[in-house]
């Protein structure tokens, strides 16, 4: 039986496992094995740290970083060994497993060691492995923080390290969309918020404060967290594991800007970044804020709390500091947009307190940072803006909580700056101080206005006084004064409420004091006044004090009468204060201010008491005390008469207020009141009773009235101010309404009128003379005074014939005064004998003046006097004193009347009043009436109205209503002869004349009839004829003369007012029948002489059709009776419309209004559609009339229109296409008015029809109708755009409208319309729609819109552009200039802006729909604008919308390749640019296809223009898709290199620019040498000469660009291509190939490497030198010479001599030929011959080489050359030839001198002597040539040393040359040569 093994304990098992791990680690003999073991066992080993057994835990632990307190005292070998072994950086730790273990385990010890190993190994792993940790690292980070801030700090630090390895995707790309999920932020919003928050705190964190434990915006704990709780090397870049703080901040900001965070998560961190002083951070922050602001709610309390905490910091020494000033400024800018921010009262108060005193201790116990300098000024300005914001939007209870304290602080802040004068250190205040001071004043005003009770409305008005003092004494500048005025304007409303009596009294006294202050004086506080406060004071008086306040009205007068220094608005404000209408407009109340009952409901509007006003203005002790001596100087003269007028208005208002006719307080209330007093009998009677009641019951008012009259009298007599005659008119106005006793005081001062009566001012004379007549005719008036004055007047009258100048004016006054006195005396019955004699003498005088005077002034006075005497019965027709007679008088008055003198006409009427009614023919009355009838031909309406008034007076005397105001004395009407039949006859006569066809008589008659009805309608004779009058007036409603219409309208109104109900209903039926077109009765009857058309309106060639008789004659002539009916229809239509114009005149609307209540119209609501349309009639008169009727009929327009909406719009849609242009035009305007401001649901079903008819009418034949239709279209567009601009609430309406409108605009009725105006407006509408719409609304229409807009770019281009393009030469332009202008216009076109807007709102779905539309637009585009526009669309899609367009790039690149060959260069270039941008997104295959296509265009096309297109595409590709270009650069640059040698400059420039921008220097060609050589060699055989030529030049450039040395392999590679390029016939530029060949030989070792190649090169050079082209030959000979110098292996003299000798001989033989110009480089034939000669001689001399030739051969060669040389010098001694000879000779002598011989043979000596003799043989050479000869002498000198003979010849030559030479340099050469000879 077996015994069981003892059971192993759990502790032993765990220890065993740990031991095995320790053994494996110990046995690992390499880092790779150790890494593998740790990958498997390290995480499980660390789990043992949570073992229940201490021995196990101790065995696992070893960490030299941890303190002993954390561990037991034992150090276990396993962990010690692991820590020692993992120190090499090559060992990678299992970070992913360790991080997962950290996240899944909550044991602090395990987590601690997990983090230790993670931090130790994170820098060892590749970037991809590092990035793979991000999701697990971020997951649960928020909860980790709650568990352990220490561990989370390390994790966050680890996150920041990894972020440096993260490559962020392009914004908006698919990768950007998915990055949130990729990095693990999508699983928990808490983690995203946490990471964003700490990234924001990182941005705030800085290390600038030495020893500081916290930063602005961050607490101690925050700073500790970011420094990993005390790790000093955290932000030391040079330390192990340290990071650069700024780079990390930038990386964090970039990370925030990507799609990993939502806008709400990154907003606050972005706000922090935007305020950072480092632009790298602030730029990123600003960019995020631009995109994220719209997504953040500023009404979120939690969000606002974060802002306030950041701004202010938190409490305690461990709390966060307030943010820096720039960040505070930005936070305040956000708070200023939040309404909810006003609820943070305590925080706001703290902001204000710290902002006004930046050095004070903040409320959180932290000392605020200094806010001085520019940033501090910005912050302070923003604080004031925030203050203003809170004052505007805070609820009253919140304002009351902080406003008083804040206002006190603001005031203290301003006073601390210096008050009222700002204290400054320099000569000028700082702009920041001025700005804050300005904001301070404005803020005080706003806060005080928002919380007036404790701040403003206190008993002493301290704040108001302070503001006024500031305005008057603060000299800081105009901006400060404006701010103070704005503050005062703000508090103005606070005083607008009803003030208690005490406060009102204090305010009144204060304002009155302000009105008295003048600049330069000192106010009560001893401050010097520098600025007037009168305007503000009078404005306060008008707004804050009730209208009844007499002192306030006195202040208005002070403003009106101010001095010249006052601003004009001061006077205007004063006038407004006196006008009750303007006062009410300035102080609105909720009740209707237009009604007269407002004053009873609102005490503020109550008029002041009349007696209070008079006492204040004119009473005892007042400024204008009437008790003062007359004639004394009056202060404020400009305000005196306005005061009189205001008192009069108040008096009349109080007197008439109990009446129903009291005028409403509106803009015309005073004028209406004047009309009541002047013309209304009821009102005048009421005024009389009022005045009598004053006399008996109200002594105070009686005294005030007498004082008022005395003041008016004084103004008239002393002529105070302007319009002093108005004061006299006030007396005349009240005199007939007041008892005579009231005038007693004035009567006692009647003598004072004398100067006014004799004044030179006519208004003064007219008024004063009437007042004199009233006062002097009273029985109580002093007879002595009156007679004295009459005597003076009589003397003036007596000598009227001698009067001149001002004397005539005095006679005028004397005449009027005497006449008024006599007439009033007659009325009063006081005509005693002495006065009767005066009367007779006076009548004779005025009749003399009438008969004899020619002076207009005297005649005017005489006629006026005669009329007045006749009116009051002081003259009778049958008692005209001799030698005058009534017939003569009538004749004179008739003459004056015929001249349009209305006074003469009135005089006739007044005289007729005194005539007896006699039946006999020829009576005086009948004669006068006939004279008045005969005035019918005068076409002046005013004259005819005067005739009508005169007729009424002649007919009924004083019973005529025209004389209501004529009696200016209190008493009964005077008696006149009785009338019985005159009025009846006059009515019959006038009504009969109204039916005549004579225009002048018709017009006069209707006016007379109107006057008779108006003035006599109350009498029985008129009442019985009202029916007939109505008929007559109706006939004139259709009259063609507007005056006749107006007269008839007014007449009908009078008939209606005076008639009974039956008459009224009859009139209404006729009016409505005419209005609706169903009754033609108003058109009138037609006779032969009836004028139907204006003369010239219907010309016939010899004249025009005007009357009915003309129509009949014309119809008879043409044999067409139907013509009569057509003309009559036209005339009838004109009459109907003319009659409608009269509807609203003179109260016809009131007739209809009355009928609408209880008459005919109340039962006929169908009138409203037609009436609504007529309100917009094109005829101004009709339109005004219809509006009057509408306003009268429709009391609630909104309700009526809503009720009858369908009927109205149906009527308009029917009539807008009617036959009559008037109707069409009116319908357009009516629809425009109807749809504005109404919800879409109301007219949605009509919308499509409205647009259709609108665009139809836009093409109307009538211009005015088209204009109206365009206006309607604009209204519809405005309605649509406003809907599109509205918030989400209008999205439904906008969508509905767009679905109707956009298809219509794109239809043949819109953009495709044949009418240009319609097309243009449809486009404008479409552009506005695109501009105003949000993306969601417009997106479905984008694909179709873009296609249409691209097509429109061409179709809407002006036709003139195409004409100019075709005829460019005629305008001194090129087609390219025109195309450039067209291109610029497309770029700046509103349509392109609209297209860009459409592209901006594309998404993937609409992109797919756009592609077919865009492809079709590109294929079908015809004009340049459309094609260029299409390209711009592709560019925009490729750049700004690449993430949704990328999949379609290949498709469009293929499409554009087909379009790029357009015939127009501008279009082609535009498509080429499009190719470049499309290449950014295209696949590599398609990009290579594009390059291949360009190569085919260049090398294979027969069209030379295609090479330019190819270059354009390649350049656009390199410029706009640089990265893609560089990725395939080896496929492109060889082709570019070859093509940049094209003969065409345009093509060459494209490829040259491409090469320059993409090749790294000239030697970059060697990188692509093989490809270039192969490609060029391939195309050297091209059948296209241009390609072959270019390839050859490219090969030459390869050699020239290869540097100073070519390798052997490269040389062997180059030679076949170079040889091939040099083959063939001569062509222009081939010399470049030869030159490169010589350079090839020079920089390579090819001649020594390969004998075969050397022979080939020699053959090529010799061959090319034999070419016969003279121009090419000169280059070939130079190259031959260069080759000879380079190769020294073969004697080439024989071959060269055979080549050059014929050339030299030919040149010498042709020396006498005529010189001929050549096109070759501009060289002439002679110069070209000389160059070839020079090159030949030079090359020949270079070919003599003693090293390659035997001595006989050298001698022979020298001899042969010398012969040719001597011939050349003898024939061609030009500079070119000589320079070449001397250069070659110098080289020859140097080569000969290399020989070792000590002496020369005789033969050689002889030859060399010949050479020496050739030098300096001529003395006409230039210095440069002589210098070359001297250098040759120096070269031959060593040879001369070997031969005595040569030396002698040389010495002789030098001596001869020295004698003639002046150049110092050449003499020095001679010296050198001489020195050699001497040696």
């Amino acid at each position: 039986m077996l015994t069981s093994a003892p059971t192993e304990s759990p502790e032993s098992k765990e220890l065993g496992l740990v031991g095995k791990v320790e053994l494996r680690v110990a046995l690992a003999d390499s880092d790779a094995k150790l890494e593998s073991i740790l990958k498997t066992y390290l995480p499980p080993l660390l789990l043992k740290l949570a073992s229940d057994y201490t021995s196990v835990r101790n065995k696992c632990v070893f960490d030299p970083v941890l303190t002993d307190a954390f561990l037991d005292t034992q150090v276990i070998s396993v962990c010690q060994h692991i820590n020692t072994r993992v120190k090499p950086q090559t060992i990678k730790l299992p970070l992913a497993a360790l991080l997962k273990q950290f996240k899944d385990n909550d044991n602090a010890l395990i987590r601690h060691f997990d983090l230790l190993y993670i931090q130790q190994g994170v820098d060892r792993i590749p970037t991809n492995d590092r990035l793979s940790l991000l999701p697990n690292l971020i997951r649960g980070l928020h909860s980790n923080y709650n568990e352990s801030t220490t561990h989370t700090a390390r994790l966050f630090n680890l996150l920041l390290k990894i972020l440096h390895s993260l490559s962020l995707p392009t914004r908006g790309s698919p990768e950007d969309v998915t990055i949130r999920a990729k990095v693990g932020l999508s699983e928990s919003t808490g983690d995203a918020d946490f990471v964003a928050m700490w990234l924001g705190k990182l941005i705030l964190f800085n290390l600038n404060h030495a020893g500081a434990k916290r930063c602005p915006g961050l607490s101690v704990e925050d700073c500790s967290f970011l420094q990993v709780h005390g790790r000093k090397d955290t932000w030391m870049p040079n330390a192990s594991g340290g990071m650069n703080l700024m780079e990390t901040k930038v990386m964090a900001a970039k990370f925030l800007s990507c799609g990993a965070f939502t806008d709400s998560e990154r907003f606050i961190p972005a706000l922090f970044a935007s305020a950072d002083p480092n632009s790298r951070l602030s730029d990123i922050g600003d960019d995020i804020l631009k995109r994220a602001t719209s997504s953040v709610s500023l009404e979120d309390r939690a969000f606002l709390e974060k802002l306030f905490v950041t701004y202010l910091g938190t409490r305690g020494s461990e709390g966060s500091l307030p943010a820096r000033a720039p960040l505070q400024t930005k936070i305040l800018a956000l708070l200023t947009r939040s309404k909810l921010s006003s609820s943070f009262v305590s925080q706001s108060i703290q902001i204000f307190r710290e902002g006004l005193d930046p050095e004070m201790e903040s409320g959180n116990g932290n000392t605020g940072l200094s806010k001085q300098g520019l940033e501090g000024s910005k912050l302070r300005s923003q604080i004031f803006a925030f203050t203003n914001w809170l004052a505007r939007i805070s609820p009253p209870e919140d304002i009351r909580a902080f406003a008083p304290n804040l206002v006190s602080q603001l005031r203290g802040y301003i006073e601390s700056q210096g008050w009222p004068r700002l204290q400054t250190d320099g000569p000028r205040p700082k702009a920041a101080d001025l700005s804050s001071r300005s904001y301070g004043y404005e803020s005080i005003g706003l806060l005080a206005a928002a919380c007036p009770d404790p701040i403003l409305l206190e008993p002493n008005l301290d704040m108001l006084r302070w503001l006024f003092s500031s305005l008057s004494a603060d000299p800081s500048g105009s901006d400060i004064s404006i701010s103070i005025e704005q503050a005062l304007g703000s508090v103005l409303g606070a005083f607008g409420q009803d003030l208690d009596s005490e406060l009102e009294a204090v305010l009144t006294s204060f304002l009155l004091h302000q009105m008295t202050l003048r600049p330069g004086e000192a106010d009560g506080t001893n401050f010097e006044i520098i600025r007037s406060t009168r305007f503000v004071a009078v404005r306060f008086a008008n707004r804050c004090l009730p209208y009844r306040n007499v002192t306030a009205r006195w202040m208005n007068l002070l403003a009106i009468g101010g001095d010249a220094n006052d601003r004009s608005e001061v006077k205007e404000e004063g006038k407004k204060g006196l006008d009750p209408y303007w006062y009410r407009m300035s102080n609105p109340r909720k009740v209707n201010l237009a009604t007269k009952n407002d004053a009873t409901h609102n005490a503020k509007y109550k008029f002041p008491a009349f007696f209070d006003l008079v006492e204040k203005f004119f009473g005892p002790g007042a400024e204008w005390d009437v008790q003062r001596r007359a004639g004394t100087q009056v202060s404020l003269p400009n305000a005196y008469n306005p005061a009189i007028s205001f008192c009069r208005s108040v008096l009349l208002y109080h007197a008439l207020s109990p009446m129903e006719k009291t005028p409403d307080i509106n803009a015309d209330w005073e004028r209406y009141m004047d009309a009541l007093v002047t013309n209304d009998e009821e009102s005048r009677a009421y005024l009389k009773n009022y005045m009598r009641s004053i006399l008996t019951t109200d002594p105070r008012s009686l005294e005030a009235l007498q004082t008022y009259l005395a003041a008016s009298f004084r103004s008239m007599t002393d002529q105070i101010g302007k319009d002093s005659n108005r004061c006299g008119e006030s007396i005349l106005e009240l005199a007939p309404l007041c008892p005579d006793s009231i005038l007693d005081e004035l009567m006692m001062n009647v003598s004072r009128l004398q100067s006014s009566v004799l004044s030179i001012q006519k208004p003064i004379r007219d008024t004063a003379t009437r007042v004199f007549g009233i006062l002097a005719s009273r029985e109580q008036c002093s007879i002595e005074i009156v007679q004295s004055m009459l005597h003076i007047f009589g003397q003036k009258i007596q000598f009227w014939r001698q009067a001149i100048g001002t004397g005539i004016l005095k006679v005028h006054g004397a005449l009027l005064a005497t006449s008024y006195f006599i007439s009033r005396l007659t009325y009063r019955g006081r005509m005693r004998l002495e006065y009767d004699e005066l009367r007779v003498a006076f009548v004779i005088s005025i009749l003399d003046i009438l008969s004899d005077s020619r002076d207009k002034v005297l005649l005017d006075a005489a006629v006026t006097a005669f009329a007045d005497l006749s009116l009051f019965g002081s003259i009778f027709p049958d008692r005209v004193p001799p030698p005058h007679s009534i017939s003569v008088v009538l004749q004179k008055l008739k003459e004056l009347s015929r001249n349009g003198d209305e006074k003469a006409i009135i005089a006739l009427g007044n005289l007729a009043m005194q005539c007896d009614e006699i039946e006999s023919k020829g009576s005086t009355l009948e004669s006068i009436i006939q004279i008045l009838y005969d005035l019918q031909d005068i076409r002046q309406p005013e004259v005819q109205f005067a005739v009508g008034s005169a007729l009424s007076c002649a007919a009924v005397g004083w019973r005529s209503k025209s004389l209501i105001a004529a009696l200016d004395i209190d008493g009964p009407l005077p008696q006149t002869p009785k009338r019985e039949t005159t009025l009846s006859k006059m009515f019959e006569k006038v009504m009969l004349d109204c039916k005549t066809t004579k225009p002048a008589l018709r017009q006069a008659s209707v006016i007379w009839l109107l006057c008779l009805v108006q003035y006599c309608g109350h009498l029985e004779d008129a009442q019985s004829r009202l029916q007939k009058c109505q008929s007559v007036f109706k006939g004139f409603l259709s009259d063609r003369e507007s005056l006749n219409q107006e007269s008839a309208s007014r007449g009908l109104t009078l008939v209606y007012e005076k008639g009974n109900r039956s008459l009224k209903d009859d009139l209404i039926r006729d009016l409505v029948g005419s209005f609706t077109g169903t009754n033609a009765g108003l058109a009138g009857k037609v006779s032969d002489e009836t004028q139907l058309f204006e003369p010239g309106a219907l010309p016939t060639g010899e004249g025009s059709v005007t009357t009915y008789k003309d129509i009949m004659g014309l119809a008879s002539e043409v044999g067409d009776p139907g013509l009569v009916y057509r003309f009559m229809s036209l005339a009838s239509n004109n009459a109907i419309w003319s009659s409608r114009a009269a509807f609203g005149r003179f109260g016809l609307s009131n007739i209809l209004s009355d009928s609408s209540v209880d008459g005919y119209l109340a039962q006929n609501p169908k009138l409203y559609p037609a009436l609504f349309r007529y309100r917009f009639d094109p005829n101004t008169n009709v339109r005004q009339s219809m509006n009057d009727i509408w306003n009268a009929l429709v009391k609630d327009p909104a309700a009526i229109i809503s009720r009858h909406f369908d009927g109205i719009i149906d009527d308009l849609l029917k009539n807008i296409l009617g036959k009559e242009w008037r109707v069409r035009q009116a319908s357009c305007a009516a629809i425009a008015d109807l749809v504005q401001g109404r919800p879409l649901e109301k007219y949605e079903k009509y919308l499509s029809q409205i647009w259709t008819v609108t665009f139809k009418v836009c093409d109307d034949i009538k211009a005015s109708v088209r204009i109206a239709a365009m206006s309607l279209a604009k209204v519809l567009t405005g309605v649509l755009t406003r809907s599109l601009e509205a918030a989400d609430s209008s999205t439904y309406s906008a969508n509905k409208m767009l679905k109707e409108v956009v298809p219509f605009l794109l239809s043949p009725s819109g953009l495709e319309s044949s009418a240009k105006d319609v097309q243009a407006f449809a486009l404008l509408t479409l552009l506005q729609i695109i501009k105003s719409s949000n993306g969601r609304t417009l997106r479905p229409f984008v694909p179709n819109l873009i296609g249409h807009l691209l097509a429109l770019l061409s179709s809407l281009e002006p036709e003139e552009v195409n004409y100019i393009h075709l005829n460019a030469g005629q305008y001194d332009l090129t087609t390219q200039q025109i195309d450039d202008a067209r291109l610029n216009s497309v770029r700046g076109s509103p349509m392109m802006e609209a297209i860009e807007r459409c592209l901006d709102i594309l998404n993937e779905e609409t992109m797919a729909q756009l592609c077919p539309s865009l492809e079709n637009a590109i294929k079908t585009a015809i004009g340049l604008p459309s094609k260029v526009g299409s390209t711009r669309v592709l560019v925009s899609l490729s750049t700004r919308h690449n993430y949704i367009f990328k999949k379609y790039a290949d498709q469009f690149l293929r499409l554009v390749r087909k379009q790029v060959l357009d015939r127009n260069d501008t279009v082609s270039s535009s498509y080429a640019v499009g190719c470049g941008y499309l290449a950014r997104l295209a696949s590599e295959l398609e990009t290579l296809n594009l390059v291949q296509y360009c190569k085919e265009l260049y090398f294979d096309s027969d069209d030379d223009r295609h090479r330019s297109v190819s270059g354009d595409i390649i350049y656009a590709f390199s410029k706009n898709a640089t990265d893609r270009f560089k990725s395939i650069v080896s496929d492109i640059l060889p082709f570019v290199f070859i093509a940049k040698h094209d003969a065409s400059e345009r093509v060459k420039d494209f490829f040259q620019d491409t090469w320059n921008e993409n090749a790294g220097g000239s030697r970059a060609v060697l990188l692509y040498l093989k490809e270039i050589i192969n490609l060029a060699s391939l195309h050297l055989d091209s059948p296209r000469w241009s390609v072959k030529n270019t390839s050859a030049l490219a090969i030459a450039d390869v050699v020239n660009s290869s540097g100073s040395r070519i390798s052997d392999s490269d040389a062997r590679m180059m030679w076949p291509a170079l040889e091939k390029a040099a083959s063939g016939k001569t062509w222009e530029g081939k010399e470049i190939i030869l030159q490169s060949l010589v350079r090839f030989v020079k920089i390579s070792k090819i001649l020594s490497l390969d004998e075969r190649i050397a022979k080939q090169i020699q053959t090529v050079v010799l061959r090319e030198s034999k070419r016969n082209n003279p121009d090419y030959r000169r280059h070939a000979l130079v190259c031959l010479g260069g080759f000879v110098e380079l190769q020294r292996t073969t004697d080439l003299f024989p071959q060269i001599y055979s080549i050059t000798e014929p050339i030299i001989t030919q040149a010498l033989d042709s020396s006498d030929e005529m010189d001929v110009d050549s096109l070759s480089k501009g060289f002439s034939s002679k110069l070209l011959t000389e160059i070839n000669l020079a090159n030949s001689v030079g090359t020949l001399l270079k070919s003599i080489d003693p090293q390659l030739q035997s001595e006989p051969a050298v001698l022979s060669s020298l001899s042969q050359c010398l012969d040719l040389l001597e011939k050349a010098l003898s024939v061609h001694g030009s500079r070119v030839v000589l320079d070449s000879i001397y250069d070659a000779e110098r080289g020859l002598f140097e080569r000969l001198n290399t020989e070792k011989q000590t002496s020369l043979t005789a033969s050689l000596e002889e030859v060399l002597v010949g050479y020496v003799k050739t030098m300096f043989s001529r003395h006409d050479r230039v210095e440069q040539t002589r210098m070359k000869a001297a250098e040759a002498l120096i070269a031959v000198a060593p040879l001369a040393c070997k031969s005595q003979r040569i030396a002698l010849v040389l010495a002789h030559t030098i001596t001869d040359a020295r004698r003639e030479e002046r150049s110092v340099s050449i003499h020095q050469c001679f010296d050198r040569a001489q020195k050699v000879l001497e040696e």
Side-chain angles (χ1 to χ4, degrees), residues 19 136 234 306 323 337 439 456 567 646 668 740 799 965 990 1133 1194 1274 1378 1430 1449 1661 1670 1689 1738 1752 1816 1846:
N136 205 14
T234 304
K306 294 178 183 178
R337 295 162 51 191
Y439 273 120
L456 290 171
R567 296 182 294 178
F646 181 62
D668 296 323
D740 266 359
F799 298 101
V990 172
N1133 180 266
V1194 181
K1274 291 178 182 178
I1378 298 172
S1430 301
V1661 173
T1689 58
F1816 282 98
I1846 297 175

Side-chain angles (χ1 to χ4, degrees), residues 652-694:
L652 295 179
Y653 184 84
H654 281 307
L656 297 176
S657 57
M659 289 182 57
E660 292 184 358
K661 293 184 179 180
T662 304
D664 295 339
I665 303 302
N666 53 35
D668 296 323
W669 78 279
E670 195 169 4
R671 189 185 311 166
Y672 182 70
M673 190 167 60
D674 291 343
L676 287 178
V677 175
T678 304
N679 301 320
D680 189 73
E681 285 185 304
E682 182 183 354
S683 299
R684 292 178 66 84
Y686 203 91
L687 281 171
K688 281 186 178 182
N689 293 332
Y690 180 79
M691 298 302 175
R692 293 184 187 279
S693 67
I694 287 178

